Amino acid sequence: MEPPSENQTGDPADNRSEIRAFLTSRRAKLAPERVGLPTGRRRRVPGLRREEVAALAGVSTEWYTRLEKGHIGGVSESVLEAVAQALLLDEDERTYLLELARAARPARRSSNRRKDVKIPSSVQWMVDSMTMAPAFVRTGRLDIVASNALCRALYSPMFDSDTTGERGCANFPRYFFLDPGSHDFFVDWEEGARATVAVLRAEAGREPHDRALRELVGELSTLSADFRTMWASHDVRIRHEGVKRLDHPEVGRLEMTFRSLDLPLPQRAVHDLIVYTAEPGTPSEDRLRLLASWTAPTPQTSPTEPTRPPR
């Protein structure tokens, strides 16, 4: 097998450093005993050596070394699958590696990047119709671009935060890392912060040419030591769903489950629709109902008007 070559244009891949850092970090985290290799006493680096990964993947050390240096654009998917298996990547990490390879291909790099789009009115109507479930639409940069009244009440500390700035748009990473109040609001702050960074890292692999995303990462890296540390771990998460626990300033502790659904939009935009629910019969459901009662629309009819059309 020939080593992976430079791309056809001769230009370096824009995401080469990301490929190198990701593969190096995964190799460093993989203990030899997990793949049946002796630990030994003369290991100078944590995890596996390059030649060990190469042997597990069935490729030459020279080939894998060039791959780990970021020369990935012309590599077949089957070979990447072998590398993913050798490194014991989970499903999200495997998908991320394939996304990095696609982004490194010359045709992919020259294509138009995914653009921001206006949320169609029909999507906003759908979200508004969910009166007992906080729901919102978020971009890959984790901006909330559509939300219902209950979501805005639930996440009022974030919507009211100075981190929304002149943009007037709530953003999860900015709130997590730039507003000290987020530590009190999110019960499991560190877990949520790491998941937020991992989702953002996955988006960077899909869209390496997104200038707004690069600016967001640069801003957070400059202003937050916690973000810098978590970003450097190169953890990725494609989907983020599970349990969310919040300490709401008005109704107290809330524990909810949340699900994420893909929401394809025009111009290659793919946002996520996130819906929260509380388990029936729990104090969290009662508190969510209380929030919902405060956000219920005021009836437009007067007491003297009929509630049903006359026959």
Side-chain angles (χ1 to χ4, degrees):
M1 180 182 297
E2 293 294 327
S5 60
E6 299 283 352
N7 61 65
Q8 295 176 359
T9 64
D11 297 326
D14 292 341
N15 63 347
R16 187 171 297 169
S17 61
E18 172 58 28
I19 296 164
R20 180 170 58 250
F22 176 67
L23 289 175
T24 301
S25 69
R26 298 311 95 176
R27 178 165 58 85
K29 289 185 176 183
L30 186 55
E33 56 268 24
R34 290 189 62 195
V35 294
L37 295 174
T39 303
R41 295 183 178 180
R42 296 184 178 181
R43 290 186 175 271
R44 297 178 180 178
V45 295
L48 299 185
R49 304 184 182 99
R50 284 176 175 170
E51 58 267 27
E52 292 170 332
V53 177
L56 291 168
V59 299
S60 69
T61 301
E62 178 191 7
W63 192 95
Y64 179 74
T65 299
R66 283 181 58 79
L67 177 68
E68 195 173 274
K69 288 182 178 180
H71 303 285
I72 197 173
V75 180
S76 69
E77 189 167 311
S78 61
V79 172
L80 291 175
E81 291 281 5
V83 171
Q85 186 173 357
L87 291 171
L88 300 185
L89 301 186
D90 63 27
E91 186 62 27
D92 283 356
E93 291 170 331
R94 171 193 158 278
T95 301
Y96 181 64
L97 179 60
L98 297 177
E99 292 282 4
L100 288 175
R102 294 187 187 104
R105 292 169 187 159
R108 177 67 173 83
R109 294 199 305 275
S110 62
S111 63
N112 292 328
R113 72 171 180 85
R114 192 164 62 197
K115 297 180 179 179
D116 293 333
V117 298
K118 183 178 180 180
I119 299 299
S121 299
S122 58
V123 172
Q124 183 65 60
W125 300 338
M126 174 184 66
V127 172
D128 286 338
S129 71
M130 302 179 193
T131 56
M132 271 307 299
F136 59 92
V137 176
R138 71 182 186 192
T139 67
R141 295 188 295 270
L142 304 185
D143 288 323
I144 295 182
V145 291
S147 58
N148 62 9
L150 186 50
C151 169
R152 293 189 292 275
L154 178 68
Y155 274 113
S156 57
M158 182 167 65
F159 280 94
D160 295 338
S161 170
D162 291 340
T163 58
T164 59
E166 296 179 356
R167 300 158 55 253
C169 180
N171 175 270
F172 279 99
R174 282 193 176 94
Y175 180 63
F176 261 104
F177 294 101
L178 302 184
D179 191 324
S182 68
H183 290 261
D184 297 323
F185 183 61
F186 292 106
V187 176
D188 308 298
W189 183 89
E190 183 170 353
E191 179 184 344
R194 289 188 180 280
T196 297
V197 174
V199 171
L200 207 62
R201 172 69 78 175
E203 176 68 5
R206 286 188 295 266
E207 297 294 329
H209 308 292
D210 187 336
R211 179 179 298 177
L213 176 58
R214 293 199 304 269
E215 291 174 351
L216 173 62
V217 171
E219 174 191 359
L220 296 174
S221 297
T222 300
L223 299 176
S224 171
D226 287 327
F227 181 85
R228 288 196 300 273
T229 299
M230 295 180 189
W231 186 256
S233 71
H234 290 272
D235 293 332
V236 295
R237 185 175 294 194
I238 305 298
R239 303 196 69 80
H240 184 204
E241 52 190 28
V243 176
K244 183 74 68 177
R245 297 196 302 159
L246 307 174
D247 260 332
H248 195 277
E250 294 177 324
V251 299
R253 179 69 58 91
L254 287 156
E255 181 171 316
M256 299 159 291
T257 60
F258 64 101
R259 294 289 176 182
S260 173
L261 303 171
D262 288 340
L263 187 65
L265 296 169
Q267 301 184 53
R268 294 182 59 242
V270 180
H271 295 348
D272 292 329
L273 170 64
I274 313 294
V275 181
Y276 287 41
T277 55
E279 182 179 350
T282 63
S284 290
E285 185 193 36
D286 294 338
R287 291 164 186 160
L288 198 60
R289 285 185 180 277
L290 179 58
L291 269 180
S293 70
W294 294 344
T295 61
T298 304
Q300 297 300 311
T301 57
S302 67
T304 58
E305 291 178 322
T307 57
R308 292 184 298 176
R311 296 183 180 179

